Amino acid sequence: MTSQNQATLAVSTVIFALRPDEASGLMTLWLPLVRRIREPHLGQWALPGGWLPGDEELAAAASRTLRETTGLTPKYLEQLYTFGDLGRSPGTRVVSIVYWALVQSDEAALAAVGENVQWFPADRLPQLAFDHNRIVDYALWRLRTKVEYARIAHAFLGETFTLAQLRDVHEAVLQKPLDPANFRRTVEASGTVVDTGQHLAGARHRPPRLYRYNDSSRLADQGPLGPSIG
């Protein structure tokens, strides 16, 4: 480790998935947390993460620590922000490079849930270790901002989806109901989705159309930094 007057680098990840609310049954945002098994904050819940080795790329370290703590290997992983306030960790100063990940429901089901790894509703978190509540709040703000203009909702869906499924994602992220007709008009006018000409199999009555995202539209605009890993 470093001396007392030097900062230590760490990586953490905020992982969002859509799961039904236990009370209402509506799709809501959830995230996995890990219980700390050592001081500081022994026994408190925290974001998955770990120390940053000197010979490992940032995204690779975030992916590795996420896999080691939760068993998850998300396809969408993007750097969120760097948190380095003085006093955020007792003792040696810790600067955390935080990533965020979005996973589909079937991916989320693969998480290694147990005594020290559990899913929590994003809007009803306990008091977390360090400044992790603040980190989650920032991640939620970024997600809600991006879902309005980027195709980030695609990370929660399969390759094809109905407009109702896409609306469910937007409603869960924005935490408000959206008028189906207005949503359809807005999405179709945006040119970000393409009608596949197929319909949802197994649906009763009139099966809804299946759409996919326009290939010219990126999952998220990361500019010259390149695409997300995975």
Side-chain angles (χ1 to χ4, degrees), residues 102-128:
L102 310 177
V103 296
Q104 297 177 21
S105 298
D106 55 348
E107 292 179 272
L110 300 177
V113 175
E115 182 180 356
N116 293 321
V117 179
Q118 292 185 23
W119 287 87
F120 291 81
D123 60 347
R124 298 195 302 275
L125 296 181
Q127 182 60 46
L128 306 183

mmCIF file of all heavy atoms in Angstrom, residues 102-128:
data_model
loop_
_atom_site.group_PDB
_atom_site.id
_atom_site.type_symbol
_atom_site.label_atom_id
_atom_site.label_comp_id
_atom_site.label_asym_id
_atom_site.label_seq_id
_atom_site.Cartn_x
_atom_site.Cartn_y
_atom_site.Cartn_z
ATOM 1 N N LEU A 102 -25.235 -1.669 -16.857
ATOM 2 C CA LEU A 102 -26.656 -1.932 -17.040
ATOM 3 C C LEU A 102 -26.802 -3.363 -17.511
ATOM 4 O O LEU A 102 -26.120 -3.782 -18.454
ATOM 5 C CB LEU A 102 -27.263 -0.969 -18.066
ATOM 6 C CG LEU A 102 -26.975 0.516 -17.848
ATOM 7 C CD1 LEU A 102 -27.582 1.344 -18.988
ATOM 8 C CD2 LEU A 102 -27.518 0.997 -16.513
ATOM 9 N N VAL A 103 -27.659 -4.129 -16.854
ATOM 10 C CA VAL A 103 -27.806 -5.533 -17.214
ATOM 11 C C VAL A 103 -29.273 -5.876 -17.440
ATOM 12 O O VAL A 103 -30.170 -5.277 -16.847
ATOM 13 C CB VAL A 103 -27.224 -6.472 -16.128
ATOM 14 C CG1 VAL A 103 -25.730 -6.259 -15.992
ATOM 15 C CG2 VAL A 103 -27.912 -6.257 -14.793
ATOM 16 N N GLN A 104 -29.503 -6.839 -18.325
ATOM 17 C CA GLN A 104 -30.855 -7.332 -18.563
ATOM 18 C C GLN A 104 -31.271 -8.250 -17.420
ATOM 19 O O GLN A 104 -30.443 -8.724 -16.639
ATOM 20 C CB GLN A 104 -30.897 -8.089 -19.893
ATOM 21 C CG GLN A 104 -30.578 -7.221 -21.097
ATOM 22 C CD GLN A 104 -30.548 -8.002 -22.387
ATOM 23 O OE1 GLN A 104 -31.117 -9.085 -22.489
ATOM 24 N NE2 GLN A 104 -29.879 -7.455 -23.395
ATOM 25 N N SER A 105 -32.572 -8.507 -17.336
ATOM 26 C CA SER A 105 -33.101 -9.298 -16.225
ATOM 27 C C SER A 105 -32.502 -10.693 -16.166
ATOM 28 O O SER A 105 -32.207 -11.216 -15.080
ATOM 29 C CB SER A 105 -34.624 -9.391 -16.332
ATOM 30 O OG SER A 105 -35.212 -8.109 -16.240
ATOM 31 N N ASP A 106 -32.286 -11.323 -17.341
ATOM 32 C CA ASP A 106 -31.719 -12.665 -17.324
ATOM 33 C C ASP A 106 -30.262 -12.653 -16.874
ATOM 34 O O ASP A 106 -29.784 -13.586 -16.226
ATOM 35 C CB ASP A 106 -31.863 -13.333 -18.692
ATOM 36 C CG ASP A 106 -31.259 -12.512 -19.815
ATOM 37 O OD1 ASP A 106 -30.927 -11.333 -19.592
ATOM 38 O OD2 ASP A 106 -31.123 -13.044 -20.928
ATOM 39 N N GLU A 107 -29.541 -11.561 -17.189
ATOM 40 C CA GLU A 107 -28.176 -11.421 -16.681
ATOM 41 C C GLU A 107 -28.186 -11.221 -15.168
ATOM 42 O O GLU A 107 -27.369 -11.801 -14.445
ATOM 43 C CB GLU A 107 -27.489 -10.219 -17.337
ATOM 44 C CG GLU A 107 -27.204 -10.357 -18.816
ATOM 45 C CD GLU A 107 -26.547 -9.105 -19.365
ATOM 46 O OE1 GLU A 107 -27.284 -8.186 -19.770
ATOM 47 O OE2 GLU A 107 -25.313 -9.040 -19.372
ATOM 48 N N ALA A 108 -29.113 -10.383 -14.688
ATOM 49 C CA ALA A 108 -29.187 -10.097 -13.257
ATOM 50 C C ALA A 108 -29.461 -11.354 -12.455
ATOM 51 O O ALA A 108 -28.992 -11.502 -11.316
ATOM 52 C CB ALA A 108 -30.272 -9.053 -12.993
ATOM 53 N N ALA A 109 -30.206 -12.282 -13.043
ATOM 54 C CA ALA A 109 -30.536 -13.520 -12.335
ATOM 55 C C ALA A 109 -29.315 -14.391 -12.087
ATOM 56 O O ALA A 109 -29.351 -15.303 -11.255
ATOM 57 C CB ALA A 109 -31.571 -14.307 -13.130
ATOM 58 N N LEU A 110 -28.202 -14.099 -12.777
ATOM 59 C CA LEU A 110 -26.976 -14.883 -12.623
ATOM 60 C C LEU A 110 -26.103 -14.379 -11.481
ATOM 61 O O LEU A 110 -25.062 -14.987 -11.194
ATOM 62 C CB LEU A 110 -26.173 -14.859 -13.934
ATOM 63 C CG LEU A 110 -26.878 -15.417 -15.171
ATOM 64 C CD1 LEU A 110 -25.981 -15.255 -16.393
ATOM 65 C CD2 LEU A 110 -27.243 -16.876 -14.960
ATOM 66 N N ALA A 111 -26.483 -13.298 -10.845
ATOM 67 C CA ALA A 111 -25.680 -12.744 -9.755
ATOM 68 C C ALA A 111 -25.568 -13.741 -8.608
ATOM 69 O O ALA A 111 -26.516 -14.476 -8.302
ATOM 70 C CB ALA A 111 -26.302 -11.444 -9.246
ATOM 71 N N ALA A 112 -24.394 -13.751 -7.994
ATOM 72 C CA ALA A 112 -24.126 -14.680 -6.890
ATOM 73 C C ALA A 112 -24.744 -14.148 -5.597
ATOM 74 O O ALA A 112 -24.050 -13.684 -4.697
ATOM 75 C CB ALA A 112 -22.628 -14.878 -6.730
ATOM 76 N N VAL A 113 -26.061 -14.223 -5.498
ATOM 77 C CA VAL A 113 -26.774 -13.694 -4.335
ATOM 78 C C VAL A 113 -26.570 -14.624 -3.137
ATOM 79 O O VAL A 113 -26.587 -15.850 -3.268
ATOM 80 C CB VAL A 113 -28.276 -13.541 -4.652
ATOM 81 C CG1 VAL A 113 -29.046 -13.099 -3.413
ATOM 82 C CG2 VAL A 113 -28.469 -12.547 -5.786
ATOM 83 N N GLY A 114 -26.360 -14.028 -1.979
ATOM 84 C CA GLY A 114 -26.168 -14.806 -0.759
ATOM 85 C C GLY A 114 -26.145 -13.884 0.441
ATOM 86 O O GLY A 114 -26.667 -12.761 0.390
ATOM 87 N N GLU A 115 -25.530 -14.335 1.505
ATOM 88 C CA GLU A 115 -25.491 -13.546 2.735
ATOM 89 C C GLU A 115 -24.795 -12.208 2.535
ATOM 90 O O GLU A 115 -25.178 -11.211 3.127
ATOM 91 C CB GLU A 115 -24.764 -14.330 3.826
ATOM 92 C CG GLU A 115 -24.701 -13.609 5.173
ATOM 93 C CD GLU A 115 -23.967 -14.407 6.223
ATOM 94 O OE1 GLU A 115 -23.565 -15.554 5.938
ATOM 95 O OE2 GLU A 115 -23.783 -13.884 7.339
ATOM 96 N N ASN A 116 -23.790 -12.182 1.654
ATOM 97 C CA ASN A 116 -22.998 -10.966 1.477
ATOM 98 C C ASN A 116 -23.206 -10.268 0.138
ATOM 99 O O ASN A 116 -22.506 -9.310 -0.167
ATOM 100 C CB ASN A 116 -21.509 -11.287 1.658
ATOM 101 C CG ASN A 116 -21.180 -11.694 3.080
ATOM 102 O OD1 ASN A 116 -21.715 -11.138 4.032
ATOM 103 N ND2 ASN A 116 -20.316 -12.683 3.226
ATOM 104 N N VAL A 117 -24.160 -10.752 -0.663
ATOM 105 C CA VAL A 117 -24.519 -10.084 -1.917
ATOM 106 C C VAL A 117 -26.035 -10.123 -2.056
ATOM 107 O O VAL A 117 -26.625 -11.206 -2.079
ATOM 108 C CB VAL A 117 -23.878 -10.764 -3.146
ATOM 109 C CG1 VAL A 117 -24.301 -10.033 -4.425
ATOM 110 C CG2 VAL A 117 -22.363 -10.788 -3.028
ATOM 111 N N GLN A 118 -26.664 -8.954 -2.119
ATOM 112 C CA GLN A 118 -28.118 -8.887 -2.251
ATOM 113 C C GLN A 118 -28.509 -7.727 -3.157
ATOM 114 O O GLN A 118 -27.777 -6.744 -3.296
ATOM 115 C CB GLN A 118 -28.779 -8.729 -0.876
ATOM 116 C CG GLN A 118 -28.658 -9.939 0.028
ATOM 117 C CD GLN A 118 -29.425 -9.785 1.326
ATOM 118 O OE1 GLN A 118 -30.379 -8.997 1.409
ATOM 119 N NE2 GLN A 118 -29.019 -10.519 2.343
ATOM 120 N N TRP A 119 -29.713 -7.853 -3.760
ATOM 121 C CA TRP A 119 -30.267 -6.787 -4.599
ATOM 122 C C TRP A 119 -31.143 -5.874 -3.742
ATOM 123 O O TRP A 119 -31.872 -6.334 -2.876
ATOM 124 C CB TRP A 119 -31.106 -7.383 -5.729
ATOM 125 C CG TRP A 119 -30.292 -8.031 -6.802
ATOM 126 C CD1 TRP A 119 -29.850 -9.317 -6.820
ATOM 127 C CD2 TRP A 119 -29.826 -7.422 -8.010
ATOM 128 N NE1 TRP A 119 -29.134 -9.554 -7.963
ATOM 129 C CE2 TRP A 119 -29.106 -8.414 -8.713
ATOM 130 C CE3 TRP A 119 -29.946 -6.155 -8.557
ATOM 131 C CZ2 TRP A 119 -28.511 -8.156 -9.943
ATOM 132 C CZ3 TRP A 119 -29.357 -5.903 -9.782
ATOM 133 C CH2 TRP A 119 -28.657 -6.890 -10.466
ATOM 134 N N PHE A 120 -31.068 -4.569 -4.036
ATOM 135 C CA PHE A 120 -31.862 -3.570 -3.327
ATOM 136 C C PHE A 120 -32.533 -2.633 -4.322
ATOM 137 O O PHE A 120 -31.951 -2.331 -5.373
ATOM 138 C CB PHE A 120 -30.969 -2.724 -2.404
ATOM 139 C CG PHE A 120 -30.403 -3.466 -1.225
ATOM 140 C CD1 PHE A 120 -29.278 -4.265 -1.358
ATOM 141 C CD2 PHE A 120 -30.998 -3.359 0.022
ATOM 142 C CE1 PHE A 120 -28.749 -4.946 -0.278
ATOM 143 C CE2 PHE A 120 -30.481 -4.029 1.120
ATOM 144 C CZ PHE A 120 -29.360 -4.828 0.965
ATOM 145 N N PRO A 121 -33.760 -2.154 -4.020
ATOM 146 C CA PRO A 121 -34.374 -1.140 -4.885
ATOM 147 C C PRO A 121 -33.543 0.141 -4.854
ATOM 148 O O PRO A 121 -33.119 0.583 -3.782
ATOM 149 C CB PRO A 121 -35.756 -0.905 -4.255
ATOM 150 C CG PRO A 121 -35.910 -1.926 -3.198
ATOM 151 C CD PRO A 121 -34.598 -2.505 -2.870
ATOM 152 N N ALA A 122 -33.286 0.717 -6.019
ATOM 153 C CA ALA A 122 -32.399 1.874 -6.109
ATOM 154 C C ALA A 122 -32.909 3.083 -5.340
ATOM 155 O O ALA A 122 -32.116 3.920 -4.894
ATOM 156 C CB ALA A 122 -32.179 2.241 -7.573
ATOM 157 N N ASP A 123 -34.224 3.198 -5.172
ATOM 158 C CA ASP A 123 -34.781 4.355 -4.472
ATOM 159 C C ASP A 123 -35.071 4.068 -2.999
ATOM 160 O O ASP A 123 -35.638 4.909 -2.304
ATOM 161 C CB ASP A 123 -36.058 4.841 -5.162
ATOM 162 C CG ASP A 123 -37.137 3.771 -5.206
ATOM 163 O OD1 ASP A 123 -36.826 2.593 -4.925
ATOM 164 O OD2 ASP A 123 -38.296 4.114 -5.519
ATOM 165 N N ARG A 124 -34.669 2.888 -2.501
ATOM 166 C CA ARG A 124 -34.894 2.561 -1.090
ATOM 167 C C ARG A 124 -33.662 1.855 -0.517
ATOM 168 O O ARG A 124 -33.741 0.743 -0.007
ATOM 169 C CB ARG A 124 -36.138 1.677 -0.926
ATOM 170 C CG ARG A 124 -37.429 2.340 -1.375
ATOM 171 C CD ARG A 124 -38.656 1.600 -0.875
ATOM 172 N NE ARG A 124 -38.709 0.224 -1.307
ATOM 173 C CZ ARG A 124 -39.207 -0.178 -2.484
ATOM 174 N NH1 ARG A 124 -39.673 0.715 -3.345
ATOM 175 N NH2 ARG A 124 -39.246 -1.467 -2.810
ATOM 176 N N LEU A 125 -32.524 2.519 -0.604
ATOM 177 C CA LEU A 125 -31.279 1.930 -0.141
ATOM 178 C C LEU A 125 -31.064 2.173 1.349
ATOM 179 O O LEU A 125 -31.481 3.198 1.882
ATOM 180 C CB LEU A 125 -30.089 2.521 -0.916
ATOM 181 C CG LEU A 125 -30.028 2.246 -2.418
ATOM 182 C CD1 LEU A 125 -28.786 2.889 -3.000
ATOM 183 C CD2 LEU A 125 -30.051 0.752 -2.709
ATOM 184 N N PRO A 126 -30.373 1.254 2.029
ATOM 185 C CA PRO A 126 -29.976 1.523 3.410
ATOM 186 C C PRO A 126 -28.817 2.521 3.423
ATOM 187 O O PRO A 126 -28.349 2.960 2.366
ATOM 188 C CB PRO A 126 -29.516 0.141 3.900
ATOM 189 C CG PRO A 126 -29.030 -0.542 2.653
ATOM 190 C CD PRO A 126 -29.937 -0.063 1.548
ATOM 191 N N GLN A 127 -28.354 2.874 4.599
ATOM 192 C CA GLN A 127 -27.169 3.718 4.695
ATOM 193 C C GLN A 127 -25.956 2.892 4.285
ATOM 194 O O GLN A 127 -25.635 1.882 4.915
ATOM 195 C CB GLN A 127 -26.985 4.236 6.126
ATOM 196 C CG GLN A 127 -25.788 5.158 6.307
ATOM 197 C CD GLN A 127 -25.882 6.402 5.435
ATOM 198 O OE1 GLN A 127 -26.937 7.045 5.376
ATOM 199 N NE2 GLN A 127 -24.807 6.735 4.749
ATOM 200 N N LEU A 128 -25.294 3.305 3.221
ATOM 201 C CA LEU A 128 -24.175 2.550 2.683
ATOM 202 C C LEU A 128 -22.844 3.016 3.269
ATOM 203 O O LEU A 128 -22.753 4.094 3.858
ATOM 204 C CB LEU A 128 -24.140 2.679 1.160
ATOM 205 C CG LEU A 128 -25.417 2.306 0.405
ATOM 206 C CD1 LEU A 128 -25.199 2.428 -1.093
ATOM 207 C CD2 LEU A 128 -25.876 0.898 0.772
#
